[in-house]
Amino acid sequence: MKKCLICEDEVQTFIDFGRQPIANGFATEQELQKGEYFFNMKVGFCPTCNMVQLLEQPDREQMFHENYAFFSSTSSYMKQHFKDFSQSIIDKQKLKNDSFVVEVGCNDGIMIQNFANANITHLGVEPSKNVAKVAREKGINVTTEFFDKKLADDAVAHYGQADAILSANVMCHIPYMHSILEGIEHLLKEDGIFVFEDPYVGEIIQKSSYDQVYDEHVFYFSVLSVSFIAQKHNLEVIDAQPQITHGGSMRYTLAHKGKKEVSSRVYEQLEIEKKIGLDKIDTYKQFEFNVQKSKTDLMHLLNKLKDENKKVVAYGATSKSTTVTNFCGITAEHISFISDTTPTKHNKFSPGAHIPILPYEEFRKSNPDYVLLFAWNHAKEIMEKEKDYIKENGIKWILYIPRLEVI
Ligand code: JHZ
Ligand code: SAH
């Protein structure tokens, strides 16, 4: 029996992805010879608190360290998204220079740079030292530790309480959520807000976007599950706003219980979640069925293209692609290489499947027949950028979320 990380009741397993490597463990040939780490990736649902979660997760130091491969600022769309996010917080909390803002998991500074640029007192918390270095070089105040209750206590002693605590695509990575929320409860001013966004389980279910599941993502949140954990720490969800980023996310705003008005959006979203069955195991079992079909469809196409000797390359060495390649059995025989703009990923091999990662310039030289879009969440930005090249060379895109499509 596996105990829920939130309420300790029994978790019901609904999908097994088999052995999976570290999603961002891009490695050189030499590193691969030393052997890769694998874990059993299964996802379960807790019927008591509605939290969807990994049953096993590698230690945090194996995932977040001085060679972390994901740099947030690789997407210009995401830069604008976080600029708008920051401005909404500045406006809502009427932030001034002596206000205090904390960001948990600031990475290369993509969001918190907007507060630094506005001369607002801030603290970025970022344990992966290489990405934190990039943030520091932008003049951002960063501590390279993991956020938890102790760090929050130290921050209060040093800076005082915060007007706003922000986090994007980080909360769902942290298994010790009780320590996090105890810390937030202490660090947040009486009229402060804690705003975070993460991929939304409702979207994952509706799009069958199983590739959101990988080692780093221990939780798949809903308003139902976030409300459950918030109330355990005298906090409450006062707003829930859907976002189109990362394939469909939800932005949750939390405040001290009873201190702020609860938006009608929260109640509406809770109704939607019950209607689409996010509180029922059968919904997740149906998801498992849809995922198996998605895998069959994609492999049928890729095997056919291999038999026809078509040249297929992939676009975006995403964390998500580690799940797709390892779960479906995609190898370098199916796709020649994966193109990516992140220098630290270049001339390395993808985790588990060992497909070469090459710089973007190689993509432009490669003239493939098909491009498999692993960074499908950035489809709009990427397809716009590649429009002319794709058209001039008669290349076709392959998309597999929400369903297989060749365009
Ligand atoms: P992208 C990471 O997921 C990991 P990933 C993490 N767990 C998470 O939750 C989200 O981010 C926030 C490249 N690229 O954003 C850059 C191009 O080559 O889908 C990236 O390597 N050309 C923290 O890794 C990758 O694609 C482009 O034009 O799934 C995109 O990764 C663009 C826009 C991107 O996140
Ligand atoms: N907020 C950025 C970065 C997301 S990447 C964005 O949305 O693009 C996730 C980041 O969380 C990584 O940089 C990782 O080092 C960091 N992280 C993981 N666990 C953390 C913790 N306990 N406290 C703070 N940051 C953490």
Side-chain angles (χ1 to χ4, degrees), residues 70 173 214 216-217 319-320 340-341 345 377-378 385:
F70 177 70
H173 296 59
Y214 51 89
E216 296 179 16
H217 289 172
S319 317
K320 297 181 286 293
D340 199 285
T341 52
K345 294 181 185 176
N377 47 309
H378 301 296
K385 189 160 68 184

Side-chain angles (χ1 to χ4, degrees), residues 64 68 72 82 104-105 107 126-128 146-147 168-170 174 176:
F64 310 115
Y68 186 54
S72 299
F82 287 121
V104 182
N107 199 279
E126 179 44 71
S128 297
F146 287 92
F147 186 89
N169 306 300
V170 178
I174 311 180
Y176 40 96

